[in-house]
Amino acid sequence: MEPRRFQLEGPSIDALKAQVLAEHGPRARIIAAEKVTVGGIGGFLARHHYEVTVQLPPRGRRRAPGEPDAHKDAGIAALLDRAEQAEARLQDPAGERSAAVSTASPAFAELMDTLTFSTETADVPADPVALISVPEPVQRVRSAPAPLSGAGDLVIVVGLGEDALEVCRSMSRAVGAGASGVRAAGLVTPDDVVMAGDRRAVAAARAAGVMGGYGIFLAYSLGRGATELGRHATLVAALSADQLWVVADAGRKPDDTAAWVGAVRAAANVDALAVEGLEATATPQTVNALGLSIGWLDGGPAPAPVLS
């Protein structure tokens, strides 16, 4: 029987070690580990977490007498030791280096930031060092979800100026709700859209959606200057969206966009990114640095989660 494998993610390696031991016992084996950096521009507002691949023995298999304990022999401590040895060999293939790099050194921290532990092979080598490679940094971006459109679903889109309103209108048209499904909140008050800036108004909008059989697309505008970001981000979180999007103008300065998007993400979970203004810039790919999957692009579904 083949061993069982699965992935876990968490805020630190120590937390993941404790979770694996508590949930799966000492025979669980961490065979791969990776530090994942999401978003940010030049390290600003970047978010980090760790991902590990766990291997369990086949169901029904018992450890033979004298067989080494998998957790003790190939746990995360052993994996890190072998990572040090791998780095030493990479820097000194002839074996002339006198000592391995300490795990407390800046060089080791840099190594752990860039190592990718591959688990694509069918059979796991006996020595986890064989799993280690040092490729170019890889950005993991999952496919973005489609906008929710069920009766009474609440989709909130946050952006500067009228960007969020334009996206909400295009989303509502795409799912057949039209103008009936659009609401507005924040610092833009359009004459032709019903405002829904508090829980009571949002509840009334949801009720209308349930009765009419359509979803609600709420455009929350941060205004032009994106001031009082913390207060607005808290208000957005309090409205309890079923799905939360942010919309970025590809022509705006990346640092400015990263600042307000980071404030929203600090207050609530953002599901996807909408992008407007592709034709106004020669470098729309700067929005990729936000680390969010692109699901809506200039008024319609995006063909890919990143811009190329």
Side-chain angles (χ1 to χ4, degrees):
M1 297 177 63
E2 293 293 327
R4 296 165 287 161
R5 298 178 194 166
F6 59 91
Q7 287 189 316
L8 292 174
E9 65 178 55
S12 70
I13 291 294
D14 287 340
L16 287 165
K17 285 173 56 181
Q19 180 181 349
V20 169
L21 183 61
E23 295 180 359
H24 304 285
R27 297 180 68 200
R29 178 184 179 190
I30 295 177
I31 62 172
E34 181 178 359
K35 181 179 181 181
V36 179
T37 300
V38 179
I41 297 177
F44 179 63
L45 292 177
R47 304 172 74 183
H48 307 281
H49 69 272
Y50 293 83
E51 295 182 359
V52 298
T53 299
V54 180
Q55 179 172 295
L56 300 179
R59 288 185 175 89
R61 179 183 179 274
R62 296 183 178 273
R63 184 158 54 97
E67 179 182 347
D69 185 275
H71 178 74
K72 179 179 179 181
D73 181 60
I76 191 63
L79 189 64
L80 295 180
D81 288 343
R82 291 185 174 104
E84 285 188 341
Q85 297 167 16
E87 188 199 22
R89 285 198 294 271
L90 287 172
Q91 294 189 9
D92 186 6
E96 298 175 357
R97 183 169 170 151
S98 60
V101 177
S102 168
T103 56
S105 70
F108 184 81
E110 182 179 354
L111 172 68
M112 292 307 297
D113 281 347
T114 56
L115 282 179
T116 297
F117 296 81
S118 173
T119 58
E120 296 299 323
T121 56
D123 298 317
V124 179
D127 186 356
V129 170
L131 295 171
I132 299 173
S133 60
V134 188
E136 295 181 1
V138 176
Q139 182 182 20
R140 290 187 174 186
V141 181
R142 298 179 175 88
S143 296
L148 294 176
S149 58
D153 284 343
L154 176 63
V155 178
I156 297 181
V157 181
V158 183
L160 302 185
E162 296 190 357
D163 292 346
L165 185 57
E166 292 303 313
V167 170
C168 284
R169 282 173 168 156
S170 62
M171 286 181 173
S172 189
R173 285 194 302 268
V175 301
S180 300
V182 180
R183 298 291 188 276
L187 300 180
V188 167
T189 56
D191 295 333
D192 59 337
V193 178
V194 177
M195 299 298 293
D198 56 40
R199 284 182 171 271
R200 180 174 297 181
V202 166
R206 281 179 176 268
V210 170
M211 290 186 292
Y214 53 81
I216 299 300
F217 296 88
L218 174 61
Y220 195 105
S221 174
L222 299 174
R224 295 289 181 184
T227 57
E228 297 185 283
L229 288 177
R231 182 175 72 87
H232 286 295
T234 300
L235 290 174
V236 169
L239 296 178
S240 301
D242 295 312
Q243 194 178 66
L244 180 61
W245 293 62
V246 292
V247 53
D249 186 328
R252 286 196 174 99
K253 292 181 179 179
D255 288 352
D256 295 341
T257 300
W260 72 260
V261 169
V264 175
R265 296 183 73 181
N269 180 61
V270 175
D271 295 289
L273 173 67
V275 178
E276 295 285 304
L278 290 185
E279 296 182 356
T281 178
T283 56
Q285 298 86 356
T286 56
V287 298
N288 293 335
L290 295 173
L292 290 167
S293 300
I294 300 172
W296 205 254
L297 192 60
D298 271 349
V306 295
L307 292 181
S308 58

